[in-house]
Amino acid sequence: MRKNKMLTIFAVLVFGFLILPLIIIAVTAFGKGSAITFPIESFSFKWFLNVFAIKSFRISFLTSLEIALLATVIALLVGIPAAYALARSGLKGKGLIKSVFLSPTIVPGIVIGFVLYQFLVLSFRVPVFLGLLAGHFMVTLPYVIRVVGSSLEQFDFSAEEAAWSLGCGKIPAFFRVVLPNITSGISAAFMLAFINSFNNIPVSMFLSGPGVSTFPATLMNYIEYNYDPTVSAVSVLLMAVTVLMMVIVDKTLGIAALAK
């Protein structure tokens, strides 16, 4: 009993350590004063309105949504077939190939951003938007490979082979047998990829350019010259988008489960 009580206290302390800063930031976003203070003296939506009043925030928010959605969809289109090929392949070097796919999760983001800036921007003069999209694709692909790959490892491929033996082509069998059984993995991969793309800073800071910047990168630039509760309001919006995406994916998983 005493051991369980100590573990409970420890868990509460860890949870408090993780959640308390988020609560403080959220509260300071609703303060009326011009400085970030906790506790706040009076309640106001002033700084949230200020976020949408600043043109660079409005534009960068839409840019982040567009980049995150496009990068995630492309990562799924590339990553699902790649994960399937790795799962079905009997190659001896399969582990090495998988490690290459997952390498962006090991290499620091700032290194990825710098390398892509040198390669895409300085060497090939790639437009800023396409450079950002390429960078975010590199960031999101490993999550698709890892999560979808885990789902495929638990899938019994004998069902697919049975479909083949009954005359179903390999491509139709993939869509009719394999995909419906890994929808939860695909949904989870979409969530992780989108969230990591939308909230990414290191790659975005290097690849952003005049008129094209992501929401987190714009926030970092804003902090250089201003430090008011607008920063807290933007942070709350970033958290809100993340939570909203998690809710949408959770609902999607629920619908998929009912469909089965």
Side-chain angles (χ1 to χ4, degrees):
M1 287 293 293
R2 185 177 178 182
K3 185 178 180 180
N4 291 336
K5 187 176 181 180
M6 289 179 66
L7 288 173
T8 301
I9 294 173
F10 178 75
V12 170
L13 289 174
V14 171
F15 178 78
F17 177 78
L18 294 173
I19 204 71
L20 188 60
L22 300 179
I23 294 174
I24 291 175
I25 288 296
V27 171
T28 58
F30 293 94
K32 193 173 183 179
S34 58
I36 299 177
T37 57
F38 182 85
I40 59 175
E41 295 180 359
S42 57
F43 185 87
S44 174
F45 287 103
K46 171 184 176 181
W47 301 108
F48 286 95
L49 297 175
N50 191 47
V51 172
F52 295 103
I54 299 174
K55 185 178 179 180
S56 60
F57 278 133
R58 295 199 309 270
I59 295 174
S60 63
F61 183 81
L62 294 176
T63 300
S64 277
L65 283 177
E66 188 175 3
I67 290 288
L69 284 171
L70 285 174
T72 301
V73 169
I74 296 172
L76 287 171
L77 292 175
V78 174
I80 293 174
Y84 173 78
L86 287 171
R88 294 289 280 166
S89 174
L91 292 174
K92 291 184 179 179
K94 183 169 65 174
L96 177 61
I97 297 173
K98 188 174 182 180
S99 297
V100 172
F101 276 121
L102 299 179
S103 60
T105 61
I106 303 171
V107 179
I110 194 169
V111 175
I112 295 174
F114 175 71
V115 170
L116 288 177
Y117 176 75
Q118 290 286 331
F119 180 72
L120 298 176
V121 179
L122 297 184
S123 300
F124 291 95
R125 306 294 179 183
V126 173
V128 176
F129 185 86
L130 292 180
L132 274 171
L133 183 59
H136 282 245
F137 165 72
M138 182 176 287
V139 169
T140 56
L141 182 61
Y143 293 98
V144 176
I145 297 290
R146 177 174 290 175
V147 177
V148 175
S150 296
S151 293
L152 286 168
E153 288 175 1
Q154 299 173 15
F155 176 70
D156 184 2
F157 285 104
S158 61
E160 183 187 31
E161 292 167 0
W164 294 348
S165 66
L166 293 173
C168 186
K170 290 191 175 182
I171 294 178
F174 174 76
F175 283 98
R176 295 177 184 176
V177 179
V178 179
L179 276 185
N181 285 282
I182 59 170
T183 52
S184 59
I186 293 173
S187 298
F190 180 92
M191 178 186 70
L192 288 172
F194 179 88
I195 290 173
N196 277 277
S197 173
F198 189 84
N199 294 326
N200 179 272
I201 292 179
V203 173
S204 300
M205 290 295 289
F206 274 98
L207 298 176
S208 294
V212 183
S213 180
T214 62
F215 200 47
T218 302
L219 173 62
M220 294 301 295
N221 290 327
Y222 182 86
I223 292 175
E224 288 185 21
Y225 306 100
N226 307 273
Y227 196 72
D228 54 43
T230 302
V231 177
S232 299
V234 172
S235 301
V236 171
L237 289 174
L238 285 170
M239 288 189 286
V241 170
T242 301
V243 171
L244 179 62
M245 180 55 60
M246 293 177 67
V247 170
I248 291 174
V249 171
D250 183 64
K251 295 295 182 182
T252 303
L253 289 175
I255 293 172
L258 288 174
K260 291 181 181 181

